[in-house]
Amino acid sequence: MSRRLPLLPTLIVAAAVLVMIGLGVWQLQRRVEKNAMLALVASNPAKPPVAFPNHPPVPPELLFRRSSAYCLRVVRWHSEAGRATDGSVGYRYIAECATGAEGPGVLVAAGVARTPDATPQWQGGQMRGWIGEEPDHRSLLTRISGKAVPLRPMLIAGEAVPGLKPLAPPTAADVPNNHLAYAGQWFFFAAIAVIIYLLALRKRAPLP
C-alpha cells in the first residue's frame, strides 16, 4: 500500500506554492496597470509645462512633463549609466542641489560624459527640462512588500551643462515594465517547488 502524504511538509509546500502563484497573478495585474500608465506617460512630453514637484512620489500625470527648477548650489555629484541625444552611452551626471536654507532640495540630471570621473563645472542656476525620477536602486523584495521609499523627483535637463553632452529626451520606453517577466519567474518557482517535492516523495516511498 502507498504511504500517506506527510501532513506538515505538504502544508508548508502547498502554502509556499500558493504564495508564489499569488505573486505571479499580482504581477500580471500590475502589468495591466503599468500599460495604462505608460500610455499616459507617452503623451506627457507634448503637454504644457508644469511646476516642478517638491516631494515624492511623482504621479504619472506629471512624469516627463516639461518643467523647470532652480539649483541654488550643487552639493554633490554622482553618476549613473546614461544615454546622450547623439545615441552614445556613457555616464549621466546627477547634481544634488540645495534650494535654500531648508527644504528637500532638487536633483538635476545635467548631462552625459564618457567616463565616471568627469568634473562638471556647473555650480547651479535655473534649469529647464522634463520631470523624471531618481535612479531606482530599491530591491524587488522591498517593492513587493510595499516598504520601498518613493523615488524622488529629478529634473532631466533639456540642455547640457558645460563639459557634458545633452541627455536623450525621456520616453515611455525608459520606464521599466518587467511585470510579465516577474510573473513568469514566480510561476516557474511554483512549478519547480512542486516538482522537487514530488521527487522527494517518490524517493521517500518504499520500494515495491
Side-chain angles (χ1 to χ4, degrees), residues 55-76:
H55 302 282
V58 179
E61 57 268 22
L62 293 185
L63 191 61
F64 300 163
R65 290 283 296 269
R66 286 180 290 162
S67 187
S68 64
Y70 185 78
C71 175
L72 183 63
R73 68 179 184 279
V74 178
V75 177
R76 64 179 64 86

Side-chain angles (χ1 to χ4, degrees), residues 25-175:
V25 172
W26 176 68
Q27 287 292 342
L28 292 177
Q29 294 171 343
R30 289 281 295 137
R31 181 171 180 260
V32 173
E33 297 171 358
K34 179 62 73 67
N35 287 338
M37 187 268 279
L38 290 176
L40 172 63
V41 169
S43 64
N44 282 347
K47 295 177 180 178
V50 294
F52 188 79
N54 293 322
H55 302 282
V58 179
E61 57 268 22
L62 293 185
L63 191 61
F64 300 163
R65 290 283 296 269
R66 286 180 290 162
S67 187
S68 64
Y70 185 78
C71 175
L72 183 63
R73 68 179 184 279
V74 178
V75 177
R76 64 179 64 86
W77 290 94
H78 64 271
S79 60
E80 300 274 346
R83 180 169 52 89
T85 53
D86 60 6
S88 62
V89 294
Y91 294 88
R92 175 177 57 168
Y93 276 78
I94 299 172
E96 295 188 20
C97 294
T99 54
E102 298 179 357
V106 66
L107 298 175
V108 177
V112 176
R114 290 192 301 173
T115 63
D117 56 355
T119 54
Q121 300 303 309
W122 187 63
Q123 298 299 318
Q126 189 74 18
M127 183 67 75
R128 292 179 176 83
W130 302 271
I131 299 170
E133 294 177 317
E134 66 178 314
D136 190 357
H137 298 299
R138 302 171 301 177
S139 69
L140 176 61
L141 183 60
T142 58
R143 282 179 281 165
I144 290 176
S145 65
K147 297 180 180 179
V149 177
L151 298 175
R152 293 175 295 173
M154 181 176 73
L155 186 75
I156 303 170
E159 296 183 2
V161 302
L164 300 179
K165 291 183 177 181
L167 286 155
T171 67
D174 298 328
V175 181

